[in-house]
Amino acid sequence: MTQAFEPPRCPNRRCPMHRAPGPRFYQRRGSYRPACRAEPVPRFRCKHCRRGFSRQTFRLDYRDRKPEFNGPLFQLLIGGTSLRQSARTLCLGVHTVQYKFRKLARGLRLLNRNLLVQLPADRSYLFDELETFEQRSICPLTVPVLIEKSSYAVVATAVAPIRRVARRGSRRQRWLARYESQYGRRPDRSRACVRKVLARLRRLLDGNQGVLITDQKALYASLCRSLLPGQVEHVMVSGKLARTSFNPLFPINMTDSMLRDNNGRLRRRSWLVSKRARCLLLQLEMFAAYRNWHRKRTNRGDPALTPGVQLGVVPRRLKIAELLAWRQDWRDRSIHPASSSGSESVRQWVA
Ligand SMILES: [Zn+2]
């Protein structure tokens, strides 16, 4: 496997061999044996910019210490385990786990962006908002989630602060007043956040038609009219209908439950709390990668059928080691996760 690796481009962004690599733009320069791996890592040198690099330069675990823990940590974190408990289970320091979580999640956010670039025509989408909080329960957050109906693929998520005022004279209202006198008025960015998610739907539809199913919140109707006029048929379903599998909102209700279950920090009545909204967003990107590219669509049924496969975005189910294999910060020039030799870029697979 290691011998088969051919660098697809020069990793130096300023080198012309990065965007348009010529044939044999590199020389082989032997290999080295890292302490954490059994097999040697091949080294290369770009003939154009004379920079040295190795197979590691293309990997997501580039410069990682203890890369063998990345896969197990990913599995713990998308299984609802907290950062601290993951650290205890893997015998790592909590700061190591926090650092690894942010690095892996940022890599997966880019992977999601690189793979999901267009949505097929004439599909139905479901949209809903979850509520959670950061730091303390008087600091609520809204979490809009957009999925595709038949595949259950998570298309977009976001996180934003919202402001909720409790009954006058109540303990919570006094608590919020104390908090706001110290830190300033809590912003409410609910509208901008929902708008951002629907704008992503518009970009991904790229002129295609679709159906959007939501509950009856007036904001959704007005944003749908202004952002997706004539492109998306907006269907509103009463939130009072029984939450059974016959409810048209069933797929998004189930996704919400799955989000609460798989992401410890979204659980109700739990000690796990997001300290910062942006870390919750990273966790959601990690979940979306797991949900779309690795986890099968339903517990019964074809194990190879993940939401991403059903949507036609990836050719097959991706293993966790593949999700965490190649760095994705070169957009569609990054190596596709299903490419084991590393020679095929995202552009070649998506096209
Ligand atoms: Zn170069």
Side-chain angles (χ1 to χ4, degrees):
M1 177 93 81
T2 312
Q3 267 70 37
F5 179 76
E6 301 280 336
R9 61 191 67 251
C10 175
N12 173 13
R13 282 170 204 258
R14 295 201 196 115
C15 172
M17 294 296 125
H18 178 67
R19 279 179 185 270
R24 301 295 299 170
F25 71 92
Y26 60 89
Q27 293 172 320
R28 290 194 175 269
R29 304 279 284 181
S31 63
Y32 70 99
R33 280 184 181 274
C36 57
R37 280 183 213 282
E39 73 273 24
V41 176
R43 278 194 170 125
F44 308 92
R45 190 160 77 165
C46 175
K47 289 181 191 164
H48 194 273
C49 68
R50 315 297 291 166
R51 288 246 191 128
F53 56 93
S54 77
R55 179 176 182 268
Q56 257 329 92
T57 319
F58 295 86
R59 304 269 311 171
L60 182 61
D61 57 12
Y62 175 51
R63 289 187 169 162
D64 272 11
R65 292 180 183 208
K66 303 184 181 174
E68 67 276 19
F69 286 103
N70 291 1
L73 177 62
F74 174 81
Q75 286 187 302
L76 285 170
L77 293 180
I78 45 86
T81 310
S82 68
L83 293 169
R84 256 171 222 284
Q85 187 58 36
S86 304
R88 285 178 209 118
T89 306
L90 299 175
C91 300
L92 294 171
V94 69
H95 296 292
T96 308
V97 165
Q98 285 167 348
Y99 175 80
K100 277 186 180 291
F101 159 65
R102 289 195 293 262
K103 181 172 175 185
L104 295 179
R106 283 179 191 134
L108 291 166
R109 175 169 62 192
L110 294 169
L111 179 81
N112 294 337
R113 292 284 177 286
N114 290 348
L115 293 183
L116 190 62
V117 288
Q118 200 180 17
L119 287 165
D122 305 322
R123 298 283 187 128
S124 296
Y125 301 90
L126 290 130
F127 179 82
D128 193 22
E129 285 173 274
L130 264 80
E131 203 172 308
T132 182
F133 60 90
E134 56 181 337
Q135 295 183 26
R136 34 178 95 63
S137 66
I138 49 162
C139 297
L141 295 168
T142 183
V143 181
V145 181
L146 178 74
I147 64 164
E148 196 277 323
K149 189 180 175 190
S150 64
S151 65
Y152 286 52
V154 179
V155 175
T157 55
V159 176
I162 50 175
R163 188 167 184 268
R164 289 259 182 280
V165 184
R167 188 169 43 80
R168 255 187 112 80
S170 66
R171 224 179 109 242
R172 286 186 69 82
Q173 193 241 328
R174 290 199 300 275
W175 186 11
L176 181 65
R178 263 199 322 276
Y179 171 82
E180 291 193 332
S181 67
Q182 197 176 347
Y183 298 101
R185 189 183 159 92
R186 182 159 178 84
D188 194 316
R189 304 212 177 94
S190 165
R191 189 186 168 86
C193 186
V194 173
R195 198 188 154 82
K196 198 166 96 181
V197 170
L198 294 182
R200 176 153 167 81
L201 174 64
R202 183 176 63 180
R203 268 198 311 282
L204 290 172
L205 280 175
D206 195 22
N208 286 334
Q209 303 278 321
V211 177
L212 182 68
I213 307 167
T214 67
D215 61 28
Q216 290 170 317
K217 194 167 166 178
L219 171 66
Y220 305 157
S222 77
L223 280 177
C224 222
R225 274 197 303 275
S226 64
L227 276 175
L228 297 147
Q231 195 179 1
V232 158
E233 183 195 339
H234 186 204
V235 177
M236 287 198 279
V237 177
S238 168
K240 287 178 188 146
L241 283 180
R243 289 167 76 99
T244 63
S245 57
F246 297 104
N247 188 320
L249 294 173
F250 175 74
I252 189 77
N253 289 339
M254 202 182 81
T255 305
D256 289 354
S257 306
M258 199 183 276
L259 278 160
R260 296 239 187 235
D261 181 54
N262 278 123
N263 302 291
R265 52 176 82 214
L266 284 178
R267 281 188 192 150
R268 296 177 199 271
R269 302 190 65 79
S270 153
W271 274 3
L272 308 186
V273 172
S274 295
K275 294 212 180 71
R276 289 173 203 284
R278 61 169 188 269
C279 288
L280 171 58
L281 190 58
L282 285 176
Q283 174 73 33
L284 293 173
E285 292 285 353
M286 199 176 229
F287 174 79
Y290 163 71
R291 178 72 186 125
N292 291 352
W293 322 121
H294 177 73
R295 183 168 168 159
K296 57 183 180 173
R297 184 182 160 274
T298 54
N299 285 334
R300 289 178 209 172
D302 186 357
L305 192 69
T306 69
V309 173
Q310 189 175 346
L311 209 55
V313 174
V314 282
R316 59 174 173 80
R317 176 182 188 220
L318 299 173
K319 296 176 200 144
I320 285 176
E322 290 174 327
L323 291 178
L324 305 178
W326 306 111
R327 56 190 276 195
Q328 296 292 321
D329 54 335
W330 297 321
R331 302 210 177 179
D332 61 355
R333 300 186 300 278
S334 312
I335 298 173
H336 193 281
S339 168
S340 61
S341 68
S343 57
E344 293 130 319
S345 67
V346 170
R347 188 185 300 167
Q348 283 160 284
W349 283 69
V350 170

